[in-house]
Amino acid sequence: MPNVMCRPELHDATTREQYDRFHAEMETLGLVRTISRDGKEFRLPSGLYLGVNVPSSLEFLSIRISLLAIKITGHACKLALWPIDNPASIDISGLEDVTPSYGALLGLLGAAPPSNFSFLSLLGDYSNASQK
C-alpha cells in the first residue's frame, strides 16, 4: 500500500460547506491534512494531503479524487499525486501545531484543563448526586 502526497485544486467550489465536505471525504480515502512528528500533529500547507498506507493504487486514487470533486462541484479537479517512500523523511518547517489538548480529547474542554483542576472532583460530584 503506497504512501502518497497530493494536491487537488477544486474549480467552482463556492462555499465553505463544499470545501468542508471535500476535506471530510478525502479523509475517507485515507488522505489527511496533517503530519505527525514526535507525538505532535501539524497542519500541512493549504490544499496538501498526506496518505499513509493508502489502500488503493495511485491510478485508482486519482480517479476517486476526481470523481469526488465532480460530485461536490460539478467539475473535475486539477490534481498532482505522487508516491513517497517514508513520510518521516518529509522535512517540515513553520507548520501550525494542531495537537489536541487532553481536555479536547476527552470532549470536555477546548483547551488543556487548568493546573488546579482534578478529574477526581468530577467523581465526587457524581457520588454526592447518586446518594441523594
Side-chain angles (χ1 to χ4, degrees):
M1 293 194 277
N3 299 314
V4 300
M5 294 291 292
C6 76
R7 172 62 169 91
E9 184 177 308
L10 295 180
H11 297 281
D12 294 330
T14 57
T15 66
R16 169 56 49 208
E17 290 78 20
Q18 287 176 305
Y19 284 103
D20 290 345
R21 183 174 166 207
F22 186 78
H23 297 317
E25 294 204 32
M26 288 288 279
E27 285 188 19
T28 68
L29 299 178
L31 300 166
V32 296
R33 297 183 298 157
T34 59
I35 189 167
S36 298
R37 285 290 184 279
D38 301 320
K40 292 187 174 187
E41 290 287 316
F42 297 92
R43 186 177 323 281
L44 291 169
S46 182
L48 194 60
Y49 293 83
L50 172 64
V52 177
N53 296 320
V54 177
S56 60
S57 69
L58 291 180
E59 295 81 15
F60 187 58
L61 185 59
S62 176
I63 292 168
R64 291 182 72 187
I65 294 168
S66 292
L67 289 174
L68 175 60
I70 292 168
K71 181 171 92 172
I72 292 173
T73 68
H75 300 279
C77 63
K78 291 182 181 178
L79 179 65
L81 178 66
W82 62 96
I84 54 172
D85 291 327
N86 181 3
S89 68
I90 298 171
D91 187 35
I92 64 170
S93 176
L95 300 182
E96 177 188 2
D97 183 346
V98 293
T99 306
S101 67
Y102 291 114
L105 288 172
L106 294 173
L108 299 172
L109 306 168
S115 60
N116 63 348
F117 179 78
S118 168
F119 283 101
L120 294 177
S121 67
L122 295 174
L123 296 175
D125 291 341
Y126 171 77
S127 63
N128 290 339
S130 65
Q131 292 174 357
K132 292 180 182 180

